[in-house]
Amino acid sequence: MTLSSKNPPASSALAGSAQTRRTSPFLRQVARIVDWPMAALQRLIGERRMPYVFLLPNLFFFGLFVFVPIAINFWYSVTGGPALFPSERPYVGSGQYSYLFECGSYADPSSCREDHFWRGVYNTVTFSFFQVVAMVGLSLLTAVVLNMKIKGRGFFRAVYFFPVLLSPVVVALIWKWILQRDGILNAWITAMGGDRVLFLTEPTWAMFWAIFVSVWSHMGFYTLILLAGLQAIPSDIYEAAEMDATPRWRVFWRLTLPLLWPNLVVVIVLALIRAVQTFDEVFVLTGGGPGTSTLMVVQYIYETAFSNQVQNFGLAAAASVVLGIVLFALTLAQLAYTQRKSS
């Protein structure tokens, strides 16, 4: 005779109730200890304000590690001098910002007083435009292919997402090993009878490979977002289009893209924010060179603040405030668009 899993043996049931009797008084005592101050606090401030009490610890640490550094950074941006401690830095008002934006022509970085900052701005804009276009296009293409019924679909989904799990520094070091003058790619080119190509020491090639490595390492994340959006589209729509003998390109253009557009907007904004903040991969891959051809805004901020030759904390803080305002505007644009679509 077998015992059903729904009816455990009497011995185990008795053991369970005995354990409950042993632990229940202790737990009830703990509950009373915790409940008394909370009940008193609830009577004092009201039930509706109680959620804020539980949020206070998180808000405290969030403010300590986010808002306080932002405030300190802003104070550095309106002060000058080489001193590190805020109390020892003289107030200069908008002097750091005026220095950054003092240009003969904004279309010509060499006419600006702080030309490295504006070269970083132009390089970041160039990098962001081509990187986001390539990222969104390739992620969309990959998501569409991986959404089809192909052999080894699960394997390829894992393969495309794997680079996201790697550290950006590790990714950059791997590609630097491949692309350097005596690297794997040049070894293959010379073995085929060609000449070595200086991939990382020619400005055009350096920017191209910086964009390529960034797309390669982050494409899997955005592919996953678009793939989730594709799988959320009802299959009945495609079945109706197939019954009407609608061409595939028209189904994609008229049905898939409009239904996938909310996910595409998220991908575009996230990819743009990531591209504007890029630093680690490009810094390890090219170091901002050759010259300043791949110098990005974040690298400019880092070198201005911590380079032994410059070490201008106020100017670096002002540049980071400008960058923060740009990122904040992009975030607000995404939120406004998302709320408008959901309403």
Side-chain angles (χ1 to χ4, degrees):
M1 180 177 179
T2 59
L3 292 172
S4 172
S5 59
K6 295 183 180 179
N7 298 311
S11 58
S12 62
L14 291 173
S17 71
Q19 184 179 5
T20 304
R21 285 196 301 270
R22 286 198 303 270
T23 58
S24 292
F26 172 75
L27 292 177
R28 284 198 296 268
Q29 188 65 27
V30 171
R32 289 194 193 99
I33 295 172
V34 174
D35 184 64
W36 181 82
M38 288 298 169
L41 183 63
Q42 181 173 327
R43 287 193 298 270
L44 181 64
I45 66 174
E47 185 178 350
R48 291 187 176 182
R49 295 187 179 92
M50 281 301 292
Y52 297 102
V53 174
F54 297 102
L55 287 175
L56 275 178
N58 289 331
L59 291 175
F60 170 77
F61 287 105
F62 189 81
L64 182 64
F65 293 106
V66 176
F67 291 117
V68 172
I70 289 175
I72 295 173
N73 184 73
F74 181 75
W75 173 252
Y76 270 87
S77 71
V78 295
T79 56
L84 177 62
F85 293 102
S87 59
E88 299 175 2
R89 298 178 58 83
Y91 179 77
V92 296
S94 61
Q96 305 286 10
Y97 298 96
S98 301
Y99 185 83
L100 280 180
F101 286 92
E102 187 176 338
C103 282
S105 172
Y106 291 111
D108 181 16
S110 60
S111 67
C112 299
R113 189 172 180 183
E114 188 60 19
D115 60 328
H116 276 203
F117 171 74
W118 287 99
R119 290 191 186 279
V121 169
Y122 280 92
N123 289 337
T124 302
V125 170
T126 303
F127 175 88
S128 300
F129 175 78
F130 289 105
Q131 194 252 24
V132 170
V133 170
M135 184 80 75
V136 174
L138 291 174
S139 297
L140 179 60
L141 177 63
T142 307
V144 170
V145 173
L146 292 178
N147 194 45
M148 297 178 179
K149 296 179 180 180
I150 58 175
K151 291 182 179 180
R153 183 171 60 176
F155 169 77
F156 287 112
R157 287 178 179 177
V159 166
Y160 274 99
F161 190 74
F162 180 73
V164 180
L165 305 177
L166 298 177
S167 166
V169 175
V170 173
V171 170
L173 287 173
I174 291 172
W175 279 100
K176 189 174 184 178
W177 180 46
I178 295 172
L179 298 171
Q180 61 188 355
R181 187 179 183 276
D182 297 322
I184 296 175
L185 187 55
N186 270 320
W188 179 79
I189 292 174
T190 54
M192 297 295 291
D195 296 327
R196 285 187 175 91
V197 182
L198 304 178
F199 293 112
L200 302 179
T201 57
E202 293 183 2
T204 305
W205 274 117
M207 180 60 78
F208 168 79
W209 284 110
I211 295 170
F212 177 88
V213 171
S214 179
V215 172
W216 181 86
S217 59
H218 299 289
M219 189 180 72
F221 173 72
Y222 303 106
T223 299
L224 193 66
I225 296 175
L226 295 177
L227 183 60
L230 288 172
Q231 292 180 343
I233 299 175
S235 59
D236 299 344
I237 298 175
Y238 293 112
E239 292 173 1
E242 187 177 355
M243 291 177 63
D244 293 338
T246 308
R248 287 189 176 182
W249 67 268
R250 192 173 180 85
V251 171
F252 178 78
W253 188 258
R254 295 289 186 179
L255 295 178
T256 304
L257 274 184
L259 294 172
L260 193 63
W261 183 245
N263 298 74
L264 273 173
V265 171
V266 173
V267 166
I268 291 170
V269 175
L270 291 179
L272 188 58
I273 291 174
R274 170 71 190 182
V276 172
Q277 296 181 94
T278 191
F279 168 68
D280 35 19
E281 291 148 335
V282 179
F283 181 73
V284 174
L285 189 67
T286 65
T292 56
S293 58
T294 56
L295 176 70
M296 304 297 170
V297 172
V298 178
Q299 183 179 341
Y300 165 82
I301 295 170
Y302 166 76
E303 292 181 346
T304 303
F306 302 109
S307 174
N308 293 329
Q309 291 81 12
V310 184
Q311 218 165 29
N312 191 331
F313 301 118
L315 196 61
S320 66
V321 169
V322 173
L323 179 63
I325 291 172
V326 172
L327 295 175
F328 185 68
L330 291 174
T331 305
L332 286 181
Q334 180 199 6
L335 290 175
Y337 180 84
T338 304
Q339 289 178 357
R340 186 176 63 185
K341 284 294 183 181
S342 61
S343 60

